[in-house]
Amino acid sequence: MPLIVDSHCDLAWNMLNYGRDYTRSAAETRRLEAGTLAREMNGDSLIGWPDYQRGQVAIVFSTLFAAPARAKEGEWDKLCYTSYDDARNLYLDQLHLYHELAESKPDYFRLIRELRELREHIAEWLDPAEASRPVGLVVLMEGADAIRSLDELGEWYELGLRFIGLSWSGTRYAGGTREPGPLTEDGRRLLRAMADFNFALDLSHMDEQSALEALDLYDGPIVATHVNCLALLPSFPSNRHFSDRVLHGVIQRDGVIGNVPLNSFLKSGWVRKNGSRREEVPLDVLAAHIDHVCQLAGDSLHAGIGSDFDGGFGLQSVPPEIDTVADLQKLAPLLRARGYSDSDIERILGQNWIHFLERTLPS
Ligand SMILES: [Zn+2]
């Protein structure tokens, strides 16, 4: 089985908002959450350490995420900020949580911040003598309102942050999902400062306008950790997905695009609360999005998977072949049926992200 890298997962947000313990399996979390608000609001969990082991998921880009108060969905939605100071505190809490998790459960999770750590981690995962291994966490900031001023970037970097996405909804830095707009002057200044640290810029959630500007302006590495192909989503009701022009820009910058196995991001008009059924969106639709990225690129070097599992949805909203994250391995035969070779499949499931990290993490 090839190694999988999952380029987007809100682990800390779930741990803090719902008290989820990801050393448990998804099945165990579901059993414990029967009849609770977590299950009602976020669906049945799709992830857990035993599932990562079964699916050979070696690395997860684990997010720091909180929503602005204007997007708060209810009392259960605890991690919302009303000021930049709030945002900083909420995001820092999550970063500290990842450090605590890695320190207290070193057999389950570890942080990956440097090239040496990455190389040792991958060697361990490829060693058949190892019965189980810790999952590697690469820390990603989703929405940059937590950065109050440019002189705080060094502190975030020291604490292990390696990817920054400017937007979720709109932020002070850029237009975002359902809040379109360009980069702001603060956004342009932030990009210039980020380049000094070689932070990877995550374009996910940016509006077409801000994404195209960032592609022109940013000198550092550029990726999209969780986004799908607008060309395959006719009349999608928001600016959440990327046109071929933006996807092509990421490819030209040698970035990687993580496609999302969420039914409402795979089929326009699929809405769980309106009674849409899982069976309407087979996993092969995710393969079609991955194939679209590969066709645009002319190779298999820029496609990946960014599951976003448990990020506001669960089992009830993913293709029927998926019971847990381990089932992402079922993409392999679907890609093979589309003409992809074993080495293409290894790249798409994980190697493209591993090579990206090899190129960009500090030595
Ligand atoms: Zn997101």
Side-chain angles (χ1 to χ4, degrees):
M1 263 197 301
L3 296 184
I4 288 179
V5 175
D6 179 353
S7 60
H8 200 95
C9 198
D10 299 331
L11 294 173
W13 183 84
N14 274 276
M15 292 162 71
L16 292 170
N17 207 48
Y18 297 120
R20 283 181 167 171
D21 175 353
Y22 284 125
T23 63
R24 295 180 179 134
S25 67
E28 178 72 356
T29 297
R30 288 177 202 171
R31 195 181 62 76
L32 292 167
E33 287 181 354
T36 67
L37 192 68
R39 181 176 183 277
E40 189 187 327
M41 303 317 303
N42 216 25
D44 280 316
S45 176
L46 290 159
I47 51 181
W49 184 81
D51 309 297
Y52 286 141
Q53 297 298 307
R54 277 192 301 118
Q56 291 270 95
V57 183
I59 296 178
V60 175
F61 295 5
S62 48
T63 68
L64 315 177
F65 169 71
R70 64 181 182 277
K72 189 178 176 85
E73 290 186 36
E75 275 316 299
W76 60 269
D77 195 2
K78 291 181 252 177
L79 305 180
C80 297
Y81 58 88
T82 52
S83 68
Y84 299 133
D85 290 344
D86 267 4
R88 173 181 159 85
N89 290 333
L90 288 168
Y91 279 63
L92 264 185
D93 284 350
Q94 296 180 38
L95 186 45
H96 289 138
L97 187 64
Y98 289 132
H99 281 272
E100 283 162 30
L101 181 65
E103 277 157 33
S104 63
K105 308 272 171 136
D107 296 337
Y108 291 87
F109 294 100
R110 68 161 59 112
L111 288 173
I112 296 178
R113 294 152 292 194
E114 298 168 5
L115 193 55
R116 177 187 54 79
E117 292 169 331
L118 176 73
R119 292 214 166 114
E120 289 172 9
H121 181 74
I122 295 301
E124 197 175 322
W125 272 83
L126 293 175
D127 181 354
E130 297 282 348
S132 71
R133 313 86 165 172
V135 175
L137 304 179
V138 179
V139 182
L140 155 70
M141 177 182 278
E142 179 170 31
D145 275 340
I147 300 170
R148 295 177 305 183
S149 70
L150 301 183
D151 53 24
E152 292 174 352
L153 274 178
E155 180 190 358
W156 287 104
Y157 190 86
E158 278 303 304
L159 285 168
L161 183 67
R162 293 294 178 265
F163 287 71
I164 298 177
L166 267 49
S167 310
W168 178 65
S169 57
T171 62
R172 64 182 274 201
Y173 297 111
T177 301
R178 286 182 287 275
E179 296 181 353
L183 289 176
T184 64
E185 187 49 42
D186 281 348
R188 285 187 280 272
R189 288 172 54 234
L190 179 61
L191 289 182
R192 283 190 283 269
M194 279 168 55
D196 293 340
F197 294 90
N198 206 38
F199 277 112
L201 171 65
D202 181 4
L203 295 185
S204 309
H205 286 282
M206 283 173 82
D207 186 46
E208 173 103 1
Q209 197 182 348
S210 50
L212 290 172
E213 279 184 64
L215 280 162
D216 274 345
L217 191 71
Y218 191 55
D219 291 331
I222 298 182
V223 300
T225 63
H226 62 311
V227 73
N228 284 345
C229 308
L230 189 59
L232 303 185
L233 291 163
S235 59
F236 194 80
S238 83
N239 60 345
R240 178 66 180 82
H241 301 292
F242 281 178
S243 67
D244 286 355
R245 191 174 168 199
V246 175
L247 294 172
H248 205 255
V250 178
I251 291 163
Q252 279 184 321
R253 296 294 299 275
D254 212 8
V256 182
I257 294 143
N259 283 135
V260 191
L262 165 59
N263 291 352
S264 58
F265 282 12
L266 292 169
K267 182 181 177 189
S268 290
W270 194 96
V271 182
R272 182 190 165 200
K273 67 176 190 307
N274 293 352
S276 297
R277 293 174 309 110
R278 295 179 72 195
E279 291 68 28
E280 293 168 30
V281 192
L283 188 60
D284 193 52
V285 184
L286 179 66
H289 280 259
I290 290 170
D291 184 48
H292 186 81
V293 172
C294 294
Q295 299 300 337
L296 277 179
D299 58 42
S300 61
L301 297 169
H302 302 276
I305 307 167
S307 80
D308 211 358
F309 283 168
D310 288 9
F313 64 93
L315 178 73
Q316 291 76 3
S317 304
V318 298
E321 294 92 334
I322 294 182
D323 181 56
T324 76
V325 69
D327 297 311
L328 290 175
Q329 290 286 353
K330 292 178 181 168
L331 265 175
L334 298 173
L335 291 168
R336 204 167 290 123
R338 287 172 177 266
Y340 287 84
S341 70
D342 286 348
S343 50
D344 291 326
I345 292 166
E346 280 178 26
R347 288 185 196 120
I348 292 164
L349 265 58
Q351 290 300 324
N352 286 337
W353 281 120
I354 292 170
H355 290 152
F356 177 85
L357 293 172
E358 284 174 347
R359 292 196 298 275
T360 57
L361 289 180
S363 47

